[in-house]
Each structure stands twice: as structure tokens, then as C-alpha cells.
């Protein structure tokens, strides 16, 4: 399986990153070794500024390529919550030099994933989600604020990369990204229900 991540998909986050609003989806990938399904997260020693990015995640249930936007909703059946951990200091250096972001984004365990629900149980255009760090709210988002909808993202990505059953799409983060430190506890929720809990070591 592979992990596809959408960048700058919420206007307020693009603003806090001092990035222009994208005119088409921006995506990058993480390998399967980035997935962290259980256990604690250990901050890697190559970064001094590891940021959390809480994101709604789509689970692909049907293989496809060149998927039309109007059929895209048939290609995912579950929604969950994940964190796109980012070594912000490394990413800044990559951006400065015009280099790829993989060192900052695709490292082992950089994609913690929580539980999933069937997408039919949610109002897809109005999904609230939140990340708390040590009980304090850090990021609050809603799918209505996505620049590119779930269907648009699936359609766009599948023009370049075939989707397979089990692939995950991290759909972008709202504003409020910030550093984590050893001892922090991260809790993610969808519509007030806990989907993810992670201790930082
Ligand atoms: Mg992200």
C-alpha cells in the first residue's frame, strides 16, 4: 500500500505556511514504512522542529486510474484520522533549495493512523475534527473548508498514480500546526469522538 498526502488543502494553513493558494491539488507520498498503527512515537534525532498535522484520511476500497470526479465516491468507503508528521526545519531547507520533501515527510512512523468509520455514517461535507495536545485544543478543522474535495483529490491523483485497495489518502491539515516535544500526548477526534491517541517519546 501507499500513502498519498495532499498539501495546502486548507486556505488558513496555506496562509500560515506563507504559501500561495494552490490552483490544483498538491500531493506527495509516504511509503508503507511511514505508517504507525499502534505504540508510541519517537521523535527522530535528525529534527529539532517536528510538527503535527492532523488530517482526515480516506481508505481506498477499489482499484482505479483516471477516475472521474463524479464516480470518485465509489473508490473510498472509510474515513479516519491520521497525523502527517513533518520535520519542519528539514522541509524548510528542502524548499529553499527546490529539493523534494521526502526527508522531512516520509521517514519511518511519520504517518500515525487511528481508527476508521464507514463514510456513510458521516456528513462528508461537514466533518469536524480536532487535535488536542496535552488536553489543549491545537487544530480544529472541518471538511467544508477543503480547497479540493475528497472526490476532486481522488480524481486528480488518479490521473498520475493508480490507486489500489488499502491505499490511504491524507487530505490535508487545517491551521494550527506546531511543534511537539517528548512527553506530549496527542488526541485526535472526529465530531467529538476519539479516533487517535499518541504519546510522544
Ligand atoms: Mg499534511
Amino acid at each position: 500500500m501507499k500513502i498519498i498526502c495532499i498539501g495546502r488543502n486548507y486556505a488558513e494553513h496555506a496562509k500560515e505556511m506563507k504559501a500561495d493558494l494552490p490552483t490544483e491539488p498538491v500531493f506527495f507520498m509516504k511509503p508503507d514504512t511511514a505508517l504507525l498503527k499502534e505504540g508510541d512515537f519517537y521523535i527522530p534525532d535528525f529534527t529539532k522542529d517536528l510538527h503535527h498535522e492532523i488530517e482526515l484520511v480516506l481508505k481506498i476500497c477499489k482499484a482505479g486510474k483516471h477516475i472521474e470526479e463524479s464516480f470518485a465516491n465509489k473508490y473510498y468507503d472509510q474515513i479516519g484520522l491520521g497525523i502527517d508528521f513533518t520535520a519542519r526545519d528539514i522541509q524548510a531547507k528542502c524548499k529553499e533549495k527546490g529539493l523534494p520533501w521526502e526527508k522531512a515527510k516520509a521517514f519511518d512512523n511519520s504517518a500515525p493512523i487511528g481508527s476508521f468509520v464507514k463514510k456513510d455514517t458521516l456528513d462528508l461535507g461537514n466533518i469536524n475534527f480536532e487535535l488536542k495536545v496535552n488536553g489543549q485544543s491545537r487544530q480544529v478543522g472541518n471538511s467544508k473548508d477543503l480547497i479540493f474535495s475528497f472526490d476532486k483529490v481522488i480524481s486528480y491523483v488518479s490521473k498520475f498514480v493508480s490507486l489500489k485497495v488499502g491505499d490511504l489518502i491524507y487530505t490535508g491539515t487545517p491551521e494550527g500546526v506546531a511543534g511537539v516535544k517528548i512527553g506530549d500526548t496527542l488526541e485526535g477526534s472526529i465530531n467529538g469522538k476519539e479516533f487517535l491517541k499518541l504519546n510522544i517519546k
Side-chain angles (χ1 to χ4, degrees):
M1 59 82 63
K2 57 189 174 292
I3 302 165
I4 294 157
C5 302
I6 309 300
R8 302 170 190 167
N9 207 10
Y10 289 86
E12 290 301 314
H13 171 62
K15 205 189 277 180
E16 74 180 348
M17 295 305 296
K18 298 184 173 54
D20 293 335
L21 288 189
T23 52
E24 51 188 30
V26 173
F27 73 92
F28 56 92
M29 288 193 270
K30 300 191 187 218
D32 58 359
T33 44
L35 208 60
L36 178 64
K37 288 184 178 169
E38 54 189 28
D40 302 324
F41 177 84
Y42 289 81
I43 298 180
D45 58 9
F46 54 75
T47 178
K48 301 242 172 328
D49 193 21
L50 184 81
H51 277 200
H52 55 73
E53 296 189 357
I54 192 78
E55 311 201 358
L56 292 170
V57 178
L58 314 179
K59 191 181 274 186
I60 298 298
C61 61
K62 187 175 165 177
K65 58 179 174 180
H66 296 290
I67 298 163
E68 278 184 45
E69 194 175 333
S70 55
F71 293 115
N73 70 345
K74 306 253 184 275
Y75 287 79
Y76 71 104
D77 61 348
Q78 295 179 60
I79 293 193
L81 204 58
I83 298 174
D84 164 21
F85 271 129
T86 304
R88 198 67 75 196
D89 45 354
I90 309 280
Q91 188 194 29
K93 281 182 197 158
C94 295
K95 282 182 175 174
E96 207 178 280
K97 293 179 182 164
L99 294 171
W101 298 352
E102 269 75 0
K103 276 203 307 192
K105 287 281 200 182
F107 54 87
D108 288 356
N109 299 332
S110 62
I113 190 76
S115 46
F116 283 85
V117 281
K118 289 201 168 76
K119 80 168 193 290
D120 307 340
T121 64
L122 298 170
D123 173 1
L124 299 179
N126 184 24
I127 305 171
N128 254 300
F129 60 107
E130 181 176 25
L131 177 71
K132 288 184 179 173
V133 178
N134 306 326
Q136 302 291 314
S137 183
R138 278 267 190 97
Q139 289 188 271
V140 177
N142 190 296
S143 58
K144 71 174 161 39
D145 297 320
L146 284 165
I147 297 174
F148 302 108
S149 68
F150 299 147
D151 292 348
K152 174 76 190 177
V153 158
I154 286 174
S155 172
Y156 184 84
V157 170
S158 74
K159 288 181 194 173
F160 302 92
V161 180
S162 296
L163 298 179
K164 288 188 169 179
V165 174
D167 287 349
L168 299 178
I169 302 184
Y170 283 55
T171 57
T173 200
E175 73 273 22
V177 299
V180 298
K181 58 183 190 317
I182 293 170
D184 284 348
T185 300
L186 277 55
E187 293 166 288
S189 59
I190 292 179
N191 295 336
K193 189 171 169 273
E194 187 172 295
F195 272 65
L196 182 151
K197 187 170 184 179
L198 193 65
N199 297 311
I200 307 296
K201 301 271 171 133

